[in-house]
mmCIF file of all heavy atoms in Angstrom:
data_model
loop_
_atom_site.group_PDB
_atom_site.id
_atom_site.type_symbol
_atom_site.label_atom_id
_atom_site.label_comp_id
_atom_site.label_asym_id
_atom_site.label_seq_id
_atom_site.Cartn_x
_atom_site.Cartn_y
_atom_site.Cartn_z
ATOM 1 N N VAL A 101 162.027 187.685 157.576
ATOM 2 C CA VAL A 101 161.169 186.589 157.120
ATOM 3 C C VAL A 101 160.927 185.639 158.279
ATOM 4 O O VAL A 101 161.864 185.001 158.779
ATOM 5 C CB VAL A 101 161.832 185.834 155.952
ATOM 6 C CG1 VAL A 101 160.845 184.817 155.382
ATOM 7 C CG2 VAL A 101 162.300 186.800 154.885
ATOM 8 N N ASN A 155 142.380 189.385 167.180
ATOM 9 C CA ASN A 155 141.555 190.167 166.246
ATOM 10 C C ASN A 155 142.462 190.704 165.160
ATOM 11 O O ASN A 155 143.608 191.020 165.436
ATOM 12 C CB ASN A 155 140.955 191.400 166.922
ATOM 13 C CG ASN A 155 139.709 191.092 167.685
ATOM 14 O OD1 ASN A 155 139.774 190.418 168.694
ATOM 15 N ND2 ASN A 155 138.596 191.582 167.193
ATOM 16 N N ASP A 184 150.821 173.675 155.343
ATOM 17 C CA ASP A 184 151.928 172.919 154.750
ATOM 18 C C ASP A 184 153.148 173.808 154.539
ATOM 19 O O ASP A 184 154.272 173.312 154.436
ATOM 20 C CB ASP A 184 151.493 172.305 153.414
ATOM 21 C CG ASP A 184 150.303 171.360 153.615
ATOM 22 O OD1 ASP A 184 150.192 170.790 154.718
ATOM 23 O OD2 ASP A 184 149.478 171.222 152.690
ATOM 24 N N ARG A 201 148.164 175.207 151.739
ATOM 25 C CA ARG A 201 147.475 174.073 152.365
ATOM 26 C C ARG A 201 146.696 173.335 151.296
ATOM 27 O O ARG A 201 146.024 173.965 150.482
ATOM 28 C CB ARG A 201 146.527 174.544 153.467
ATOM 29 C CG ARG A 201 145.827 173.378 154.153
ATOM 30 C CD ARG A 201 145.052 173.798 155.402
ATOM 31 N NE ARG A 201 144.370 172.647 155.958
ATOM 32 C CZ ARG A 201 143.139 172.277 155.614
ATOM 33 N NH1 ARG A 201 142.437 172.982 154.748
ATOM 34 N NH2 ARG A 201 142.593 171.199 156.148
ATOM 35 N N TRP A 246 134.979 203.642 166.889
ATOM 36 C CA TRP A 246 135.800 204.850 166.803
ATOM 37 C C TRP A 246 136.608 205.164 168.052
ATOM 38 O O TRP A 246 137.814 205.058 168.014
ATOM 39 C CB TRP A 246 134.956 206.064 166.357
ATOM 40 C CG TRP A 246 134.364 205.820 165.006
ATOM 41 C CD1 TRP A 246 133.045 205.695 164.691
ATOM 42 C CD2 TRP A 246 135.080 205.605 163.783
ATOM 43 N NE1 TRP A 246 132.885 205.408 163.353
ATOM 44 C CE2 TRP A 246 134.115 205.359 162.762
ATOM 45 C CE3 TRP A 246 136.421 205.600 163.416
ATOM 46 C CZ2 TRP A 246 134.460 205.113 161.441
ATOM 47 C CZ3 TRP A 246 136.768 205.359 162.096
ATOM 48 C CH2 TRP A 246 135.802 205.124 161.129
ATOM 49 N N ALA A 252 135.571 200.004 174.581
ATOM 50 C CA ALA A 252 135.831 198.901 175.502
ATOM 51 C C ALA A 252 135.127 199.103 176.840
ATOM 52 O O ALA A 252 135.367 198.354 177.786
ATOM 53 C CB ALA A 252 137.339 198.771 175.709
ATOM 54 N N ALA A 312 135.994 179.597 164.183
ATOM 55 C CA ALA A 312 135.073 178.731 163.441
ATOM 56 C C ALA A 312 133.767 179.459 163.118
ATOM 57 O O ALA A 312 132.688 179.084 163.595
ATOM 58 C CB ALA A 312 134.780 177.464 164.251
ATOM 59 N N ASN A 358 133.561 213.232 154.978
ATOM 60 C CA ASN A 358 132.821 214.085 154.052
ATOM 61 C C ASN A 358 132.811 215.502 154.589
ATOM 62 O O ASN A 358 132.877 215.709 155.795
ATOM 63 C CB ASN A 358 131.374 213.598 153.926
ATOM 64 C CG ASN A 358 131.225 212.547 152.847
ATOM 65 O OD1 ASN A 358 132.116 212.375 152.003
ATOM 66 N ND2 ASN A 358 130.120 211.833 152.869
ATOM 67 N N ASP A 365 123.276 211.805 151.705
ATOM 68 C CA ASP A 365 122.787 211.817 150.333
ATOM 69 C C ASP A 365 121.806 212.959 150.141
ATOM 70 O O ASP A 365 120.984 213.216 151.020
ATOM 71 C CB ASP A 365 122.064 210.483 150.073
ATOM 72 C CG ASP A 365 122.775 209.720 148.997
ATOM 73 O OD1 ASP A 365 123.794 210.231 148.498
ATOM 74 O OD2 ASP A 365 122.314 208.619 148.662
ATOM 75 N N ASN A 373 126.705 210.227 151.887
ATOM 76 C CA ASN A 373 126.978 210.766 150.558
ATOM 77 C C ASN A 373 128.307 210.182 150.070
ATOM 78 O O ASN A 373 129.349 210.401 150.688
ATOM 79 C CB ASN A 373 127.057 212.293 150.638
ATOM 80 C CG ASN A 373 127.245 212.899 149.266
ATOM 81 O OD1 ASN A 373 127.569 212.200 148.306
ATOM 82 N ND2 ASN A 373 127.037 214.201 149.179
ATOM 83 N N VAL A 390 147.263 199.051 142.586
ATOM 84 C CA VAL A 390 147.750 198.435 143.823
ATOM 85 C C VAL A 390 149.228 198.063 143.683
ATOM 86 O O VAL A 390 150.045 198.353 144.562
ATOM 87 C CB VAL A 390 146.883 197.204 144.176
ATOM 88 C CG1 VAL A 390 147.541 196.350 145.242
ATOM 89 C CG2 VAL A 390 145.507 197.675 144.637
ATOM 90 N N GLN A 398 157.898 200.913 148.529
ATOM 91 C CA GLN A 398 159.243 200.325 148.590
ATOM 92 C C GLN A 398 160.282 201.369 148.171
ATOM 93 O O GLN A 398 161.336 201.492 148.785
ATOM 94 C CB GLN A 398 159.295 199.063 147.732
ATOM 95 C CG GLN A 398 158.487 197.950 148.405
ATOM 96 C CD GLN A 398 158.258 196.736 147.514
ATOM 97 O OE1 GLN A 398 158.080 196.871 146.312
ATOM 98 N NE2 GLN A 398 158.250 195.563 148.110
ATOM 99 N N SER A 439 150.693 203.391 170.488
ATOM 100 C CA SER A 439 150.072 202.118 170.105
ATOM 101 C C SER A 439 151.076 201.100 169.591
ATOM 102 O O SER A 439 151.766 201.317 168.600
ATOM 103 C CB SER A 439 148.989 202.345 169.063
ATOM 104 O OG SER A 439 149.536 202.979 167.959
ATOM 105 N N GLN A 464 167.129 213.351 161.088
ATOM 106 C CA GLN A 464 167.890 212.990 159.892
ATOM 107 C C GLN A 464 166.981 212.487 158.767
ATOM 108 O O GLN A 464 167.359 212.535 157.604
ATOM 109 C CB GLN A 464 168.886 211.890 160.286
ATOM 110 C CG GLN A 464 169.958 211.655 159.271
ATOM 111 C CD GLN A 464 170.862 210.506 159.697
ATOM 112 O OE1 GLN A 464 171.223 210.389 160.869
ATOM 113 N NE2 GLN A 464 171.207 209.657 158.762
ATOM 114 N N ASP A 466 163.480 213.292 158.081
ATOM 115 C CA ASP A 466 162.524 214.177 157.424
ATOM 116 C C ASP A 466 162.472 215.483 158.228
ATOM 117 O O ASP A 466 161.730 215.619 159.195
ATOM 118 C CB ASP A 466 161.147 213.498 157.389
ATOM 119 C CG ASP A 466 160.142 214.272 156.552
ATOM 120 O OD1 ASP A 466 160.287 215.503 156.430
ATOM 121 O OD2 ASP A 466 159.211 213.640 156.034
ATOM 122 N N LEU A 515 167.244 219.979 173.568
ATOM 123 C CA LEU A 515 168.075 219.028 172.821
ATOM 124 C C LEU A 515 167.472 218.714 171.460
ATOM 125 O O LEU A 515 168.189 218.569 170.466
ATOM 126 C CB LEU A 515 168.261 217.734 173.623
ATOM 127 C CG LEU A 515 168.985 217.850 174.963
ATOM 128 C CD1 LEU A 515 169.255 216.466 175.537
ATOM 129 C CD2 LEU A 515 170.303 218.616 174.832
ATOM 130 N N THR A 518 168.162 221.732 169.131
ATOM 131 C CA THR A 518 169.548 221.873 168.669
ATOM 132 C C THR A 518 169.931 220.726 167.730
ATOM 133 O O THR A 518 170.682 220.929 166.778
ATOM 134 C CB THR A 518 170.539 222.005 169.846
ATOM 135 O OG1 THR A 518 170.331 220.935 170.762
ATOM 136 C CG2 THR A 518 170.343 223.322 170.568
ATOM 137 N N ILE A 529 163.624 228.479 162.425
ATOM 138 C CA ILE A 529 162.665 227.858 163.352
ATOM 139 C C ILE A 529 162.670 228.580 164.709
ATOM 140 O O ILE A 529 161.642 228.664 165.386
ATOM 141 C CB ILE A 529 162.950 226.347 163.546
ATOM 142 C CG1 ILE A 529 161.760 225.665 164.250
ATOM 143 C CG2 ILE A 529 164.251 226.112 164.301
ATOM 144 C CD1 ILE A 529 161.854 224.162 164.350
ATOM 145 N N HIS A 540 145.551 229.023 176.092
ATOM 146 C CA HIS A 540 145.478 230.338 176.744
ATOM 147 C C HIS A 540 145.856 231.550 175.910
ATOM 148 O O HIS A 540 145.781 232.670 176.365
ATOM 149 C CB HIS A 540 146.302 230.315 178.040
ATOM 150 C CG HIS A 540 145.688 229.438 179.069
ATOM 151 N ND1 HIS A 540 146.267 228.240 179.442
ATOM 152 C CD2 HIS A 540 144.521 229.536 179.723
ATOM 153 C CE1 HIS A 540 145.469 227.650 180.324
ATOM 154 N NE2 HIS A 540 144.412 228.417 180.511
ATOM 155 N N HIS A 549 160.844 229.882 174.161
ATOM 156 C CA HIS A 549 160.387 228.640 174.796
ATOM 157 C C HIS A 549 161.583 227.864 175.368
ATOM 158 O O HIS A 549 161.528 227.330 176.475
ATOM 159 C CB HIS A 549 159.664 227.750 173.772
ATOM 160 C CG HIS A 549 158.226 228.100 173.574
ATOM 161 N ND1 HIS A 549 157.198 227.372 174.116
ATOM 162 C CD2 HIS A 549 157.642 229.114 172.889
ATOM 163 C CE1 HIS A 549 156.040 227.908 173.774
ATOM 164 N NE2 HIS A 549 156.277 228.971 173.019
ATOM 165 N N ASN A 640 177.933 226.304 187.850
ATOM 166 C CA ASN A 640 177.412 226.046 189.205
ATOM 167 C C ASN A 640 176.857 224.650 189.337
ATOM 168 O O ASN A 640 177.110 223.948 190.315
ATOM 169 C CB ASN A 640 176.237 226.994 189.499
ATOM 170 C CG ASN A 640 176.712 228.201 190.235
ATOM 171 O OD1 ASN A 640 177.784 228.173 190.830
ATOM 172 N ND2 ASN A 640 175.914 229.267 190.184
ATOM 173 N N PHE A 655 178.090 208.705 190.395
ATOM 174 C CA PHE A 655 177.135 209.780 190.655
ATOM 175 C C PHE A 655 175.915 209.221 191.389
ATOM 176 O O PHE A 655 175.432 208.139 191.069
ATOM 177 C CB PHE A 655 176.690 210.446 189.345
ATOM 178 C CG PHE A 655 177.795 211.210 188.678
ATOM 179 C CD1 PHE A 655 178.519 210.653 187.623
ATOM 180 C CD2 PHE A 655 178.132 212.484 189.128
ATOM 181 C CE1 PHE A 655 179.557 211.361 187.024
ATOM 182 C CE2 PHE A 655 179.179 213.196 188.529
ATOM 183 C CZ PHE A 655 179.894 212.628 187.473
ATOM 184 N N THR A 709 175.445 193.307 182.369
ATOM 185 C CA THR A 709 175.039 191.900 182.258
ATOM 186 C C THR A 709 175.163 191.525 180.783
ATOM 187 O O THR A 709 175.244 192.408 179.930
ATOM 188 C CB THR A 709 173.566 191.657 182.690
ATOM 189 O OG1 THR A 709 172.698 191.953 181.582
ATOM 190 C CG2 THR A 709 173.175 192.486 183.900
ATOM 191 N N SER A 731 159.430 200.781 193.199
ATOM 192 C CA SER A 731 159.523 199.625 194.091
ATOM 193 C C SER A 731 158.259 198.769 194.051
ATOM 194 O O SER A 731 158.144 197.790 194.770
ATOM 195 C CB SER A 731 159.826 200.090 195.524
ATOM 196 O OG SER A 731 158.836 200.988 195.981
ATOM 197 N N VAL A 782 164.755 183.169 174.168
ATOM 198 C CA VAL A 782 164.951 183.860 175.453
ATOM 199 C C VAL A 782 164.413 185.292 175.342
ATOM 200 O O VAL A 782 163.636 185.750 176.168
ATOM 201 C CB VAL A 782 166.451 183.909 175.830
ATOM 202 C CG1 VAL A 782 166.667 184.693 177.122
ATOM 203 C CG2 VAL A 782 167.008 182.497 175.951
ATOM 204 N N GLY A 892 178.552 224.880 145.717
ATOM 205 C CA GLY A 892 177.436 224.183 145.105
ATOM 206 C C GLY A 892 177.703 222.721 144.782
ATOM 207 O O GLY A 892 176.926 222.081 144.086
#
Side-chain angles (χ1 to χ4, degrees):
V101 187
N155 277 69
D184 300 332
R201 181 171 177 270
W246 299 115
N358 272 345
D365 243 0
N373 184 346
V390 166
Q398 289 169 324
S439 58
Q464 194 183 319
D466 188 333
L515 297 188
T518 52
I529 193 173
H540 292 110
H549 277 257
N640 265 340
F655 292 99
T709 83
S731 58
V782 177

